[in-house]
Amino acid sequence: MKKLFKGILDFQSEDFEAHRELFRDLKSSQNPHTLFIGCSDSRVVPTLITKTDPGELFLVRNVANIVPPFHMSDRFVATASAIEFAILSLEVDTIVVCGHSNCGGCYALNQSPETLQHMPNLLKWLEIIREVPDRVTRLMKGDSAAEREWITEEVNILVQMENLLSYPFILERVLAGLLKVLGWYYIIETGEVFNFNDETGHFEIVE
Ligand SMILES: [Zn+2]
């Protein structure tokens, strides 16, 4: 915990000082260009991997970078409300769904529900993507756990990109050419990012 408090002081004396003007400009408004939907995983740091500054990315992070399909709800809907605000109020022109290697949320999909019984909210959350394992099985060429892992992580990204289009205001903007939806697969141990190319149907390395 000490590390966190020392971090605040270091931030103020080093990073904040270096970007004093930027923070002053951001004092009363934000104008991010991108809604970035990523996993809560501690190893995925959106501003680091995109080298962006405060004010550039509007972030949604949850377990397994999931976008619940559009529906009106009387429940508490954190992800959907952040999506509404980013598109309808901040008017971002890009949405990134960023999955990653070694994702615990995706791994859990391939385990029996009993292993998550003690985390009932997480179990419920992952129900949103319960279609993923079947799609993965249809795509697998071999039967190794490693292949299942990375295909699960990639298919999960595609499902969230599809779910985004179930939001009427997103579909409308995408069709009008006002909004772009990107799917990224980030590899933790190499720093590589693979961008989904909807013409080839493959994730291709960004270089
Ligand atoms: Zn993850």
Side-chain angles (χ1 to χ4, degrees), residues 38-44 62-65 98-106 153 156:
C39 185
S40 299
D41 194 295
S42 63
R43 300 163 296 176
V44 179
N62 59 46
V63 172
N65 40 271
C98 183
H100 67 98
S101 59
N102 194 237
C103 181
C106 289
E153 288 153 355
N156 182 47

Side-chain angles (χ1 to χ4, degrees), residues 39-114:
C39 185
S40 299
D41 194 295
S42 63
R43 300 163 296 176
V44 179
V45 185
T47 50
L48 187 68
I49 66 179
T50 56
K51 273 203 80 78
T52 43
D53 285 329
E56 291 194 78
L57 302 182
F58 191 78
L59 294 177
V60 172
R61 299 184 68 175
N62 59 46
V63 172
N65 40 271
I66 290 172
V67 176
F70 179 79
H71 69 289
M72 290 307 295
S73 172
D74 55 1
R75 306 288 291 273
F76 299 107
V77 279
T79 296
S81 61
I83 290 170
E84 280 181 359
F85 187 65
I87 308 302
L88 297 174
S89 179
L90 297 172
E91 300 180 332
V92 299
D93 58 26
T94 306
I95 304 176
V96 173
V97 176
C98 183
H100 67 98
S101 59
N102 194 237
C103 181
C106 289
Y107 177 79
L109 276 184
N110 295 318
Q111 305 301 302
S112 78
E114 286 76 50

Side-chain angles (χ1 to χ4, degrees), residues 71-172:
H71 69 289
M72 290 307 295
S73 172
D74 55 1
R75 306 288 291 273
F76 299 107
V77 279
T79 296
S81 61
I83 290 170
E84 280 181 359
F85 187 65
I87 308 302
L88 297 174
S89 179
L90 297 172
E91 300 180 332
V92 299
D93 58 26
T94 306
I95 304 176
V96 173
V97 176
C98 183
H100 67 98
S101 59
N102 194 237
C103 181
C106 289
Y107 177 79
L109 276 184
N110 295 318
Q111 305 301 302
S112 78
E114 286 76 50
T115 59
L116 293 181
Q117 219 88 73
H118 62 301
M119 295 184 276
N121 283 299
L122 179 57
L123 191 59
K124 183 82 189 154
W125 177 244
L126 292 175
E127 266 182 28
I128 300 172
I129 52 172
R130 66 188 150 198
E131 67 178 280
V132 168
D134 281 349
R135 283 175 65 163
V136 171
T137 302
R138 291 198 291 274
L139 288 170
M140 283 183 65
K141 294 192 173 72
D143 60 358
S144 74
E147 186 190 13
R148 177 166 287 280
E149 184 178 312
W150 67 259
I151 295 182
T152 299
E153 288 153 355
E154 289 192 348
V155 168
N156 182 47
I157 296 164
L158 301 181
V159 169
Q160 310 322 316
M161 293 169 77
E162 291 161 14
N163 286 351
L164 280 168
L165 299 181
S166 71
Y167 290 69
F169 52 86
I170 291 180
L171 181 63
E172 188 187 302

